């Protein structure tokens, strides 16, 4: 799948964001190695801490459907009234969730402003010196 197609799905997912508190809307589209896509949006809560980021929504949807192998994620985000989007980097918690399931040097994190403007990072680049499942192996 082309980066622009994955970004388009993330932009669609962003429209579903539930953000009555921050008014900052994020969408994500997670591509599995087998070619399936799971989308996610951020979902906020009046108690604040139960809020969930778009990226984790996508991962938890996918893992709960039996997916464990991921190739890439496209992320778009910005204020709800923004005329155009800037790059939206995933929070530390979402990076750690990526660390659980994704290949350190091959998983692609696509930060997009739109379908034509994007930057691609590996998980290692955005979470250097990470702690993951391999650290717990004997
Ligand atoms: N948020 C995400 O969903 N993903 C990110 O990459 C950054 C932050 C959400 C959390 C919260 O609902 C809002 O954006 C403002 O932090």
């Amino acid at each position: 799948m082309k980066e622009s197609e994955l970004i388009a799905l993330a932009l669609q997912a962003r429209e579903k964001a539930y953000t009555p508190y921050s008014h900052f809307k994020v969408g994500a589209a997670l591509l599995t190695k087998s070619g399936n896509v799971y989308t996610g949006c951020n979902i906020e809560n009046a108690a604040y801490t139960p809020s969930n980021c778009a990226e984790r929504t996508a991962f938890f949807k996918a893992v709960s459907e039996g997916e464990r192998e991921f190739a890439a994620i496209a992320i778009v985000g910005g204020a709800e009234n923004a005329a155009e989007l800037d790059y939206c980097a995933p929070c530390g918690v979402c990076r750690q969730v990526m660390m659980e399931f994704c290949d350190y040097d091959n998983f692609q994190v696509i930060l997009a402003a739109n379908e034509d403007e994007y930057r691609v990072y590996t998980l290692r680049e955005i979470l250097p010196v990470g702690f993951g499942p391999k650290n717990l192996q004997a």
Side-chain angles (χ1 to χ4, degrees), residues 10-136:
L11 287 165
Q12 277 178 30
R14 180 174 176 263
E15 291 172 18
K16 305 274 195 338
Y18 175 74
T19 57
Y21 308 106
S22 75
H23 303 285
F24 188 90
K25 294 189 179 293
V26 185
L30 177 61
L31 177 67
T32 70
K33 286 187 182 173
S34 60
N36 295 329
V37 176
Y38 294 82
T39 59
C41 61
N42 52 334
I43 303 169
E44 298 184 345
N45 189 282
Y48 291 9
T49 52
S51 300
N52 205 50
C53 290
E55 298 90 326
R56 274 178 288 146
T57 302
F59 268 96
F60 296 159
K61 282 171 68 178
V63 174
S64 67
E65 295 296 327
E67 303 282 5
R68 293 276 177 87
E69 304 213 325
F70 301 103
I73 189 168
I75 303 165
V76 294
E80 66 182 6
N81 58 1
E84 48 190 48
L85 300 180
D86 200 351
Y87 297 113
C88 175
C91 79
V93 174
C94 289
R95 293 175 202 214
Q96 186 64 35
V97 169
M98 293 175 196
M99 189 75 192
E100 189 67 26
F101 295 106
C102 303
D103 187 284
Y104 213 19
D105 290 300
N106 291 316
F107 183 69
Q108 296 199 309
V109 182
I110 303 165
L111 307 187
N114 55 55
E115 288 168 41
D116 302 314
E117 291 174 87
Y118 57 87
R119 294 178 186 160
V120 184
Y121 300 89
T122 65
L123 179 55
R124 186 189 293 279
E125 286 174 314
I126 64 163
L127 184 59
V129 203
F131 183 88
K134 289 193 176 123
N135 295 98
L136 292 182

